[in-house]
Amino acid sequence: MKFLVTGGAGFIGSAVIRHLIDHTEHELVNVDKLTYAGNLESLTAVSGNPRYVFEHADICDAGAMARIFAEHRPDVVMHLAAESHVDRSIDGPAAFIGTNILGTYTLLEAARHYWQALEGSARDEFRFHHISTDEVYGDLALEGDTLFTETTAYEPSSPYSASKAASDHLVRAWQRTYGLPTLVTNCSNNYGPFHFPEKLVPLMILNALEGKPLPVYGDGSQVRDWLYVEDHARALVTVACEGKVGETYNIGGHNECKNIDVVNTICAILEELAPAKPAGVERYLDLITHVADRPGHDLRYAIDASKIERELGWRPQETFETGIRKTVAWYLANGEWSRRVQDGSYERERLGDTETQGQLQ
Ligand code: NAD
């Protein structure tokens, strides 16, 4: 089959592409605008493969999307392109409304016109798989064991999660109204190699290695369910190939952990794997600095991933302990990648603090 992957130069999209090239025989087209978050360097291991093609394009560009569908004639669309960082959505929501809502709409329309002109098995087997987040469900009480299921009501808190919620509704409406064969997945926090250093895990690893403060929002008690990105990539390809049209699948790592415990774990692994510290640093833990909490910060996310396990046989292979160790080791071995993807416009400063907006911390 031929896959059209949007956002394939990003963190999760690049893991999906590496998975498709390394573990399947499928062909694929990567459609990416290459924003600050898109890095073709994450694909150097696979980009020479004849089954891989890159299209530098914006999903909001209807003409470009129509051309790409007509030229490449995909069997499956996996839609990952998005503005994805909550803190950036607080500082500048416009890009999130543009790409996540209007971009998804534009892509849906291009896919619908292409699909409506298909015939026979090509039409029956076409799939549009939309990749979304558990943040659309809002948050859960810190205490208790409630989990997000596929039927949990939407209650997004941030401009990011509200824009993703809107895109999920559009995808489901295109299925219900036009019959477009869609699938939706909502996943928990991903971590792993090739993660842009603005997100918690890579930010902590890289700051610690340079002896910089490790900024923990509030008291760090927020709970996230951590999913190793390669487990997620495998789940996504399983859903795209075997999922039931019109269905939603929640994907989680069965790894609930407080943010502060994530940071403590990273410090402990670094003590072991990188004992030679920058001058003046006695213990990595001493670099932890509590900073003002994120406005509207969700308390707890936790996914019930039993449906995808029951119906499609997927389970994560990594525990948080094994996955985070692999991740720290990857950043230690790939310092050059981290240096190159930060092009100077982002220097790991605090984003999304409405009190200090625009100031570096
Ligand atoms: P990312 O920010 O690392 O990558 C996004 C990619 O999309 C980049 O390559 C960027 O260049 C591209 N892109 C952005 N705007 C575009 C546009 N207008 N046209 C074409 N390409 C564009 O994101 P990610 O972490 O890989 O997330 C991928 C998807 O998974 C997103 O839809 C996100 O909402 C969802 N998701 C992510 C997480 C997570 O923990 N990272 C969790 C749940 C859901």
Side-chain angles (χ1 to χ4, degrees):
M1 290 195 295
K2 187 179 273 188
F3 283 64
L4 188 162
V5 178
T6 71
F11 169 48
I12 302 172
S14 68
V16 167
I17 289 179
R18 291 190 300 272
H19 179 86
L20 284 168
I21 293 291
D22 292 343
H23 299 287
T24 77
E25 294 301 315
H26 301 306
E27 295 174 43
L28 63 100
V29 187
N30 173 16
V31 177
D32 200 297
K33 180 182 170 184
L34 299 181
T35 68
Y36 78 95
N39 294 291
L40 292 176
E41 303 217 12
S42 306
L43 293 165
T44 43
V46 295
S47 55
N49 191 295
R51 290 186 284 127
Y52 171 85
V53 174
F54 176 59
E55 286 276 6
H56 187 190
D58 185 337
I59 58 163
C60 299
D61 181 342
M65 291 307 108
R67 176 191 63 76
I68 287 168
F69 273 91
E71 214 167 291
H72 296 287
R73 311 199 59 74
D75 302 295
V76 179
V77 175
M78 293 179 80
H79 175 35
L80 296 106
E83 288 292 336
S84 71
H85 189 35
V86 175
D87 289 344
R88 285 181 191 266
S89 82
I90 296 169
D91 288 349
F96 290 72
I97 306 304
T99 287
N100 299 0
I101 305 180
L102 293 175
T104 299
Y105 157 74
T106 306
L107 191 70
L108 278 168
E109 280 295 80
R112 177 168 77 90
H113 291 303
Y114 164 75
W115 167 75
Q116 282 174 333
L118 293 175
E119 287 175 0
S121 63
R123 185 181 165 103
D124 295 343
E125 285 162 22
F126 180 79
R127 297 288 181 269
F128 185 104
H129 176 187
H130 176 63
I131 285 79
S132 191
T133 168
D134 61 356
E135 300 194 28
V136 297
Y137 300 125
D139 62 356
L140 297 164
L142 271 184
E143 307 306 329
D145 50 12
T146 327
L147 301 174
F148 294 133
T149 71
E150 287 80 1
T151 55
T152 300
Y154 276 30
E155 203 176 344
S157 311
S158 69
Y160 163 67
S161 53
S163 68
K164 290 297 290 187
S167 67
D168 294 10
H169 290 318
L170 290 176
V171 172
R172 294 196 179 99
W174 259 240
Q175 199 264 323
R176 181 94 188 249
T177 304
Y178 303 109
L180 186 71
T182 64
L183 299 147
V184 177
T185 50
N186 296 83
C187 72
S188 56
N189 274 48
N190 283 223
Y191 69 103
F194 299 101
H195 205 179
F196 190 79
E198 66 187 353
K199 303 280 172 76
L200 180 75
V201 168
L203 180 72
M204 295 299 152
I205 298 170
L206 296 177
N207 275 13
L209 290 172
E210 291 173 22
K212 290 184 175 165
L214 306 181
V216 172
Y217 290 0
D219 62 2
S221 62
Q222 309 84 1
V223 173
R224 303 292 180 255
D225 173 3
W226 294 91
L227 173 63
Y228 191 64
V229 70
E230 291 174 13
D231 274 331
H232 187 206
R234 197 167 43 81
L236 292 179
V237 173
T238 303
V239 171
C241 296
E242 297 166 37
K244 198 168 151 213
V245 167
E247 292 290 320
T248 296
Y249 299 89
N250 279 357
I251 307 172
H254 304 290
N255 280 309
E256 276 189 61
C257 193
K258 286 183 184 170
N259 284 349
I260 187 70
D261 294 334
V262 171
V263 180
N264 287 335
T265 305
I266 289 171
C267 288
I269 297 172
L270 283 173
E271 289 292 348
E272 203 186 309
L273 301 185
K277 294 184 238 345
V281 179
E282 210 165 294
R283 301 179 314 162
Y284 288 113
L285 276 179
D286 298 336
L287 295 169
I288 293 177
T289 313
H290 291 272
V291 299
D293 207 350
R294 170 189 283 165
H297 207 172
D298 286 335
L299 296 174
R300 173 173 165 255
Y301 303 138
I303 284 258
D304 175 354
S306 57
K307 177 176 170 181
I308 185 172
E309 180 172 353
R310 203 173 49 247
E311 296 187 8
L312 303 180
W314 173 89
R315 257 195 85 77
Q317 288 174 353
E318 301 292 342
T319 63
F320 186 66
E321 289 67 33
T322 60
I324 195 71
R325 182 168 282 274
K326 281 186 182 178
T327 305
V328 173
W330 187 87
Y331 278 93
L332 286 172
N334 291 277
E336 189 55 24
W337 179 89
S338 304
R339 271 187 293 281
R340 290 165 73 114
V341 299
Q342 295 170 82
D343 62 0
S345 59
Y346 172 66
E347 293 170 352
R348 284 182 255 140
E349 68 271 22
R350 173 71 193 267
L351 302 171
D353 180 359
T354 45
E355 299 296 313
T356 60
Q357 218 158 36
Q359 297 171 25
L360 293 189
Q361 282 202 340

